[in-house]
Amino acid sequence: SIYTLPINSIKQSFKISDDRQIILDTDGTEMILLRGECFPLIRLHRLFGVSTEVTELYDGIVIQIENNDKIACIFADELLGEQQVVVKPFPSFLNKYELKKLGLSGCSILGDGSISLILDANNLLNML
């Protein structure tokens, strides 16, 4: 699956290089230690129930997102790059699934005809 994240939500992206950066808090939540601060980790493949070959943090990329005073990290297979997209709202028949509460704000049709789901950093951070 391909996801789009608004650029103004991204604080930075980085690769995990040290085991000491990965911490489990007391309730089992994965955290990333970055410059002395811990941030919760959201694994997109687990959140949306999609299969992927990239499950080890060393093999993917971590994207730190922020909205107001909330910050978290998203784990993804790879970062494809930056491009402008047209945001399309979800069709009304999907309203019963409350997709916004799951951290999705809409979709976009990419140049190759595939669909990209647009992540809503605010709702993703509110889920934590």
mmCIF file of all heavy atoms in Angstrom, residues 90-97:
data_model
loop_
_atom_site.group_PDB
_atom_site.id
_atom_site.type_symbol
_atom_site.label_atom_id
_atom_site.label_comp_id
_atom_site.label_asym_id
_atom_site.label_seq_id
_atom_site.Cartn_x
_atom_site.Cartn_y
_atom_site.Cartn_z
ATOM 1 N N PHE A 90 -13.168 10.620 0.628
ATOM 2 C CA PHE A 90 -13.672 9.265 0.488
ATOM 3 C C PHE A 90 -15.129 9.305 0.042
ATOM 4 O O PHE A 90 -15.865 10.219 0.420
ATOM 5 C CB PHE A 90 -13.585 8.512 1.821
ATOM 6 C CG PHE A 90 -12.176 8.161 2.221
ATOM 7 C CD1 PHE A 90 -11.627 8.675 3.375
ATOM 8 C CD2 PHE A 90 -11.409 7.303 1.451
ATOM 9 C CE1 PHE A 90 -10.337 8.343 3.759
ATOM 10 C CE2 PHE A 90 -10.114 6.966 1.812
ATOM 11 C CZ PHE A 90 -9.580 7.492 2.971
ATOM 12 N N PRO A 91 -15.576 8.328 -0.752
ATOM 13 C CA PRO A 91 -16.994 8.272 -1.134
ATOM 14 C C PRO A 91 -17.872 8.145 0.112
ATOM 15 O O PRO A 91 -17.471 7.536 1.113
ATOM 16 C CB PRO A 91 -17.090 7.007 -1.997
ATOM 17 C CG PRO A 91 -15.696 6.678 -2.392
ATOM 18 C CD PRO A 91 -14.805 7.237 -1.342
ATOM 19 N N SER A 92 -19.058 8.698 0.066
ATOM 20 C CA SER A 92 -19.939 8.739 1.242
ATOM 21 C C SER A 92 -20.314 7.350 1.765
ATOM 22 O O SER A 92 -20.567 7.190 2.953
ATOM 23 C CB SER A 92 -21.205 9.550 0.937
ATOM 24 O OG SER A 92 -21.895 8.969 -0.155
ATOM 25 N N PHE A 93 -20.322 6.331 0.899
ATOM 26 C CA PHE A 93 -20.687 5.000 1.385
ATOM 27 C C PHE A 93 -19.632 4.417 2.340
ATOM 28 O O PHE A 93 -19.886 3.438 3.035
ATOM 29 C CB PHE A 93 -20.979 4.030 0.227
ATOM 30 C CG PHE A 93 -19.778 3.646 -0.598
ATOM 31 C CD1 PHE A 93 -18.957 2.591 -0.231
ATOM 32 C CD2 PHE A 93 -19.479 4.347 -1.751
ATOM 33 C CE1 PHE A 93 -17.866 2.245 -1.000
ATOM 34 C CE2 PHE A 93 -18.384 4.008 -2.530
ATOM 35 C CZ PHE A 93 -17.566 2.947 -2.145
ATOM 36 N N LEU A 94 -18.453 5.042 2.406
ATOM 37 C CA LEU A 94 -17.414 4.588 3.336
ATOM 38 C C LEU A 94 -17.500 5.275 4.702
ATOM 39 O O LEU A 94 -16.748 4.938 5.618
ATOM 40 C CB LEU A 94 -16.026 4.834 2.743
ATOM 41 C CG LEU A 94 -15.662 4.021 1.507
ATOM 42 C CD1 LEU A 94 -14.294 4.421 0.983
ATOM 43 C CD2 LEU A 94 -15.685 2.528 1.810
ATOM 44 N N ASN A 95 -18.432 6.210 4.862
ATOM 45 C CA ASN A 95 -18.561 6.940 6.126
ATOM 46 C C ASN A 95 -18.815 6.019 7.315
ATOM 47 O O ASN A 95 -18.400 6.307 8.428
ATOM 48 C CB ASN A 95 -19.675 7.987 6.044
ATOM 49 C CG ASN A 95 -19.292 9.153 5.159
ATOM 50 O OD1 ASN A 95 -18.122 9.342 4.836
ATOM 51 N ND2 ASN A 95 -20.277 9.929 4.758
ATOM 52 N N LYS A 96 -19.479 4.905 7.093
ATOM 53 C CA LYS A 96 -19.801 3.997 8.201
ATOM 54 C C LYS A 96 -18.554 3.369 8.821
ATOM 55 O O LYS A 96 -18.596 2.853 9.922
ATOM 56 C CB LYS A 96 -20.764 2.911 7.738
ATOM 57 C CG LYS A 96 -20.207 1.978 6.685
ATOM 58 C CD LYS A 96 -21.242 0.961 6.240
ATOM 59 C CE LYS A 96 -20.704 0.104 5.116
ATOM 60 N NZ LYS A 96 -21.713 -0.810 4.611
ATOM 61 N N TYR A 97 -17.411 3.433 8.141
ATOM 62 C CA TYR A 97 -16.173 2.841 8.653
ATOM 63 C C TYR A 97 -15.347 3.823 9.489
ATOM 64 O O TYR A 97 -14.320 3.439 10.029
ATOM 65 C CB TYR A 97 -15.318 2.305 7.495
ATOM 66 C CG TYR A 97 -16.003 1.198 6.751
ATOM 67 C CD1 TYR A 97 -16.530 1.420 5.483
ATOM 68 C CD2 TYR A 97 -16.162 -0.054 7.318
ATOM 69 C CE1 TYR A 97 -17.174 0.407 4.795
ATOM 70 C CE2 TYR A 97 -16.804 -1.068 6.640
ATOM 71 C CZ TYR A 97 -17.302 -0.827 5.380
ATOM 72 O OH TYR A 97 -17.949 -1.833 4.702
#
